[in-house]
Amino acid sequence: MNRALFLAALLLAPLFAAFEGFPKPSDIFMRTLQVRVSNAADANDTRDAVSNFGVTRLEWVYWTKAEKDRLLLRDLKGKVTRFGGSLNPTQPPREGTAPYCRGLDGSTATVPWLRVYKNDRTNMCANHPDTLPSLSNHIAFQVGLGINAFQVDDVAMNVDVMRAAGGCFCDHCVAGFSRELAAKGKLTAYAREGRGDGKTFDIRSFLLSKGVKSGDGVWNDPRFPAELKRDFEAFQMASVKSFLPRLQATASALFGGPISFSKNTEADWLGGTFDYAMYELPWGNASPAYLYGFISHQRAIGGTVVFDGPKKFPMGEAELPTLRAAFATAYAAGGYAFVPWDMFTAPAKPRLFIRPSELGDLTTFIRACAPLLDGFNQLLEPWTGAAATNHLAADPMGDNSLAIFPHLASRQPGKEAVLHLVNWGKGRAVAPIQLDPRALLANPRSRIRVTQFTPKAFEAEAVGRAWATGRYGDLVEKKVLLEGALRPFDATVDSWSLLQVVALDGESGPAAPRLFPFGGKVLGSVSVEVEADGNGKSVYTLDGSDPRAGSKAVSGPIAISPGPGKSVILKVRSVEGSSFSPIAEARYTGEFILKARPGPGAMKPGTRYAYYEGEFEGLPDWGALAPTKSGSVEFFHQGPRPVETKAWAGKFDAWLKVPRTGRYRFWGFFNAQKGLVRLTVSDKEIFTAGKGSEQGRGEAVLEEGLHPISAEVVESHSDGSKGSHYFFIGMSGPGIPETRLTDAYLVHEPIQP
């Protein structure tokens, strides 16, 4: 089977379009809510951050008439290519108008999440004739400042209001909905139930006549008929979709030509009005698989995405590797990420200001490697043409992996390719890399050179010189890993590296064969397929010695059974006449399998628990405590805790039903700021997680049958909130999608009365 030719056909769309305002792959995005320093007590300076991070696009800014805004734009002109302003339907309308969304009683309909700020902000209505002129005033002011890009914040407008107040019931929406029903031939049926002359339908009057009360409960009120709700929702969505192109056309007209237009949402229903999306990434979605899938979807619908996040508060030392990996993966997978400076984390929480020493090495690395990003804008499926012996996790796109994203300069393999290596593990990753030149290069028998590019540590003085001159090349380390005939080689990755693969003049002798899978962990046994170029034969050894001409010939897949905790080293080389290829070498290590145990006879679904009250510094000695109460529940959760309790601990014990032998992944989450949760399966600790929204993850290879499972949870010091803290534990495995651990998989011994 020719994997390379098949996978090479999976080229995705180009990473960026020809439109001048569209981001380049090497653009660095940063936002700031306002230009800082904002006052004498503000320790954060927008100008310093832009230069330290090498920013090229300063977007999503609420510009003001303050002198500091004008001076910043003047000073950064020529260094920053795009200055982006924000358009928000909650911004003040033009004087003398009030084009707001309205509830059933005519009052302004405020989006619930905005109420946290205790102000009167609410969305303007997409159907109100004063909305576009009001936003046009904001556009004209910002264009006059020198803004050349716009982001539409709170872009859903009427639709945002819908889930609470049921939608906008202003006169313009009521009349527009009636016309929409007439155009669809639905007016007659609705008009019989409405009020008026029978030729129109007044949805506001109709709902009030049914007893629907204005306020947050409109959408879920059972007196709001389902079909009418669907029609009204479609109307509100269509209203927003028709308004946004007019807003973009107005911005372009006032700017005097096409202008970058982005949205703060991933919502597909908004259509193709926007050049790219800005998406606030939840902390729990920070994984290479999620980021790649999200970016691929945005590109498939004709745009791209700039991630804001992943969001977490507070952001400590333990979270920094994940933030860095997510930032690097956003670029490696064909998207972008905001420098998390002046980043919104949660309502009423402080904003996050990442330090240059924490991320500046990666942003300046992008600037230094701009030719390798901008010149290679065709992204292959991850891992196409490359494999690594991943000692961190079995899943190459898992959140403990070394993820590989290959890029080509055009739709067909040529003389060069670039591979992004992003380390999602804890600590430095050292992994053997195997390339398949047929997916990456036009002439797979070429001699090749592989050069690794790695970020240098952030150094303020060096970055200052680079910002002043525009030359960032000295901020990257370069190392040649391979030159000559192709063979596997080792790569060391701390956070993010680029591999430049270049075909050199002249052909080499036979290249090293390629092994599938290329080493790694083995559950029981594995069949290794060998692919080689040319007409010669391939020979191999399993004892660690170098293969010779008389070694055993490859005649099919090679069966390898290392045994638990043991390793087998496979070495393969090709022989063509008197020429020998370099050796392909890979290590296969047997997994330890946690054995199933005979459980007690009778079982009941769910888990036993013991609940304790008191102050706890970490997990207690359970045997030394007497529980406040005990019993059984259907799954691991905080249910046994009374809502008024300020500090508590709990231990849950059950048996896990494993349907078949294989690798199982577990995760847990506890949102209490001083919470802690530990999971143990068959006496093996899977993870310990805490610190607010930290998510614990771990895995184990389990034999089919029953395994004792224990979850221990502690809330050491309550913050005073009642009933708002929760934890859960989930798993996935062979034949089991990601699911919460419930009594479908948990059983326990009956509790004796």
Side-chain angles (χ1 to χ4, degrees):
M1 176 181 177
N2 192 334
R3 292 179 179 80
L5 295 180
F6 170 72
L7 292 172
L10 297 178
L11 278 167
L12 301 176
L15 298 187
F16 64 94
F19 171 46
E20 182 184 353
F22 201 88
K24 296 184 300 183
S26 62
D27 269 326
I28 307 295
F29 283 79
M30 195 182 91
R31 71 157 304 192
T32 182
L33 179 66
Q34 56 185 329
V35 174
R36 299 176 185 269
V37 178
S38 57
N39 55 56
D42 194 347
N44 302 293
D45 189 304
T46 301
R47 185 181 277 96
D48 288 347
V50 168
S51 60
N52 282 327
F53 291 112
V55 172
T56 61
R57 298 180 73 110
L58 184 61
E59 299 201 30
W60 197 352
V61 183
Y62 284 88
W63 301 96
T64 71
K65 297 179 180 179
E67 180 69 5
K68 59 184 173 63
D69 292 36
R70 188 186 64 79
L71 292 176
L72 181 76
L73 288 163
R74 183 200 67 185
D75 294 347
L76 295 181
K77 189 174 182 180
K79 297 286 188 181
V80 174
T81 62
R82 283 290 178 273
F83 295 98
S86 285
L87 299 173
N88 195 316
T90 69
Q91 288 174 303
R94 63 177 179 168
E95 188 174 353
T97 67
Y100 298 120
C101 290
R102 302 284 174 176
L104 280 174
D105 61 358
S107 63
T108 55
T110 306
V111 178
W113 74 268
L114 286 172
R115 297 171 196 160
V116 175
Y117 299 99
K118 298 180 180 179
N119 57 31
D120 296 327
R121 290 172 59 192
T122 191
N123 284 357
M124 289 188 242
C125 172
N127 289 310
H128 199 292
D130 287 326
T131 296
L132 186 59
S134 294
L135 289 173
S136 297
N137 287 348
H138 293 287
I139 295 171
F141 159 68
Q142 294 180 79
V143 168
L145 278 179
I147 301 309
N148 55 7
F150 279 108
Q151 180 258 22
V152 184
D153 215 350
D154 296 321
V155 65
M157 301 179 74
N158 300 44
V159 178
D160 273 344
V161 176
M162 195 160 48
R163 298 302 177 214
C168 177
F169 295 95
C170 72
D171 291 344
H172 305 284
C173 282
V174 170
F177 182 53
S178 182
R179 290 193 297 271
E180 180 76 6
L181 292 177
K184 292 183 176 180
K186 291 187 173 184
L187 180 61
T188 303
Y190 284 129
R192 292 195 194 103
E193 303 180 70
R195 295 179 178 181
D197 57 8
K199 297 179 181 179
T200 60
F201 176 71
D202 186 331
I203 186 174
R204 180 176 55 207
S205 298
F206 171 75
L207 292 177
L208 289 172
S209 72
K210 296 295 183 182
V212 178
K213 301 295 184 183
S214 184
D216 287 352
V218 172
W219 188 254
N220 293 317
D221 194 308
R223 291 166 293 190
F224 196 153
E227 184 178 359
L228 178 61
K229 187 186 297 185
R230 286 193 297 270
D231 285 336
F232 195 55
E233 178 182 31
F235 165 73
Q236 297 277 268
M237 294 175 73
S239 298
V240 176
K241 284 181 68 175
S242 66
F243 173 81
L244 292 171
R246 292 188 286 128
L247 181 65
Q248 183 186 35
T250 300
S252 295
L254 291 171
F255 180 67
I259 189 168
S260 293
F261 211 57
S262 60
K263 58 181 177 178
N264 180 28
T265 180
E266 79 286 9
D268 291 352
W269 64 268
L270 289 168
T273 301
F274 299 94
D275 301 310
Y276 48 98
M278 297 175 179
Y279 176 61
E280 298 183 66
L281 179 68
W283 183 260
N285 290 346
S287 75
Y290 182 88
L291 291 166
Y292 170 73
F294 195 104
I295 293 168
S296 298
H297 175 71
Q298 291 297 318
R299 287 168 48 210
I301 62 175
T304 187
V305 62
V306 187
F307 290 104
D308 185 31
K311 293 181 176 292
K312 187 169 188 295
F313 181 82
M315 182 78 71
E317 189 80 18
E319 290 76 36
L320 190 57
T322 297
L323 184 143
R324 286 170 58 87
F327 183 88
T329 300
Y331 281 87
Y336 308 86
F338 278 106
V339 175
W341 192 90
D342 203 358
M343 183 175 78
F344 170 84
T345 56
K349 295 290 186 182
R351 300 178 76 84
L352 174 67
F353 294 87
I354 200 78
R355 295 188 295 270
S357 60
E358 296 171 320
L359 195 70
D361 61 325
L362 298 190
T363 60
T364 54
F365 177 63
I366 293 171
R367 295 293 304 268
C369 295
L372 299 181
L373 279 81
D374 297 342
F376 294 83
N377 63 342
Q378 296 288 339
L379 174 64
L380 294 168
E381 292 281 344
W383 292 83
T384 301
T389 303
N390 189 352
H391 299 291
L392 301 173
D395 180 2
M397 287 291 279
D399 50 7
N400 263 339
S401 74
L402 180 68
I404 299 181
F405 299 90
H407 295 244
L408 302 182
S410 62
R411 288 187 173 274
Q412 298 298 324
K415 293 196 66 173
E416 293 186 51
V418 172
L419 287 77
H420 294 244
L421 279 59
V422 182
N423 181 10
W424 279 82
K426 296 179 179 178
R428 174 173 289 179
V430 181
I433 303 291
Q434 169 184 267
L435 301 181
D436 187 344
R438 293 171 298 176
L440 304 175
L441 301 174
N443 182 359
R445 293 181 66 91
S446 298
R447 296 171 59 250
I448 70 167
R449 181 173 60 241
V450 178
T451 306
Q452 182 176 15
F453 295 77
T454 304
K456 284 185 178 179
F458 180 84
E459 200 277 308
E461 186 175 341
V463 170
R465 289 194 300 268
W467 175 256
T469 63
R471 295 192 290 270
Y472 284 82
D474 291 339
L475 303 182
V476 65
E477 299 277 3
K478 300 178 185 179
K479 181 181 179 181
V480 176
L481 303 182
L482 172 66
E483 185 161 355
L486 180 64
R487 58 174 172 76
F489 54 88
D490 288 341
T492 301
V493 183
D494 287 315
S495 55
W496 182 17
S497 286
L498 301 186
L499 299 183
Q500 181 188 32
V501 182
V502 180
L504 304 175
D505 293 335
E507 292 190 353
S508 67
R514 292 165 294 281
L515 311 178
F516 301 95
F518 181 57
K521 297 176 182 179
V522 176
L523 180 59
S525 63
V526 64
S527 292
V528 180
E529 294 186 25
V530 178
E531 289 188 355
D533 301 322
N535 299 317
K537 66 176 182 177
S538 296
V539 292
Y540 73 96
T541 62
L542 295 172
D543 59 4
S545 63
D546 291 347
R548 302 175 181 274
S551 297
K552 189 170 184 179
V554 176
S555 58
I558 302 170
I560 297 178
S561 303
K566 298 181 180 180
S567 294
V568 170
I569 297 175
L570 170 63
K571 292 187 175 183
V572 186
R573 75 191 320 173
S574 295
V575 182
E576 291 185 10
S578 60
S579 298
F580 289 82
S581 76
I583 295 173
E585 176 181 331
R587 180 185 295 269
Y588 300 85
T589 303
E591 292 269 30
F592 281 105
I593 302 176
L594 296 180
K595 296 293 185 182
R597 302 183 188 181
M603 291 283 191
K604 298 187 69 174
T607 175
R608 300 178 65 163
Y609 75 85
Y611 164 76
Y612 307 82
E613 291 183 355
E615 294 285 346
F616 302 96
E617 295 293 337
L619 294 169
D621 178 0
W622 303 105
L625 300 176
T628 304
K629 65 176 181 177
S630 59
S632 65
V633 288
E634 66 275 22
F635 58 89
F636 303 134
H637 66 100
Q638 73 283 1
R641 168 209 179 203
V643 295
E644 69 274 7
T645 301
K646 293 185 177 180
W648 65 287
K651 190 171 189 293
F652 300 78
D653 292 291
W655 291 84
L656 175 66
K657 298 187 294 183
V658 174
R660 66 175 188 262
T661 300
R663 181 185 303 279
Y664 290 82
R665 293 182 172 83
F666 300 87
W667 63 93
F669 178 91
F670 191 17
N671 75 331
Q673 192 59 47
K674 299 294 179 69
L676 189 69
V677 58
R678 178 169 70 186
L679 181 70
T680 304
V681 177
S682 284
D683 300 325
K684 177 186 177 182
E685 181 178 325
I686 305 299
F687 62 76
T688 298
K691 299 180 182 178
S693 59
E694 180 180 332
Q695 194 172 42
R697 293 181 179 268
E699 60 182 36
V701 179
L702 304 177
E703 185 182 42
E704 178 182 343
L706 291 174
H707 292 259
I709 183 170
S710 175
E712 303 162 84
V713 60
V714 169
E715 184 175 349
S716 299
H717 302 282
S718 172
D719 59 9
S721 60
K722 296 181 178 181
S724 61
H725 295 159
Y726 60 90
F727 83 97
F728 67 83
I729 292 173
M731 80 167 189
S732 63
I736 301 176
E738 292 191 358
T739 184
R740 190 169 186 168
L741 263 182
T742 67
D743 53 7
Y745 300 99
L746 299 174
V747 293
H748 67 89
E749 305 164 49
I751 297 174
Q752 300 301 321

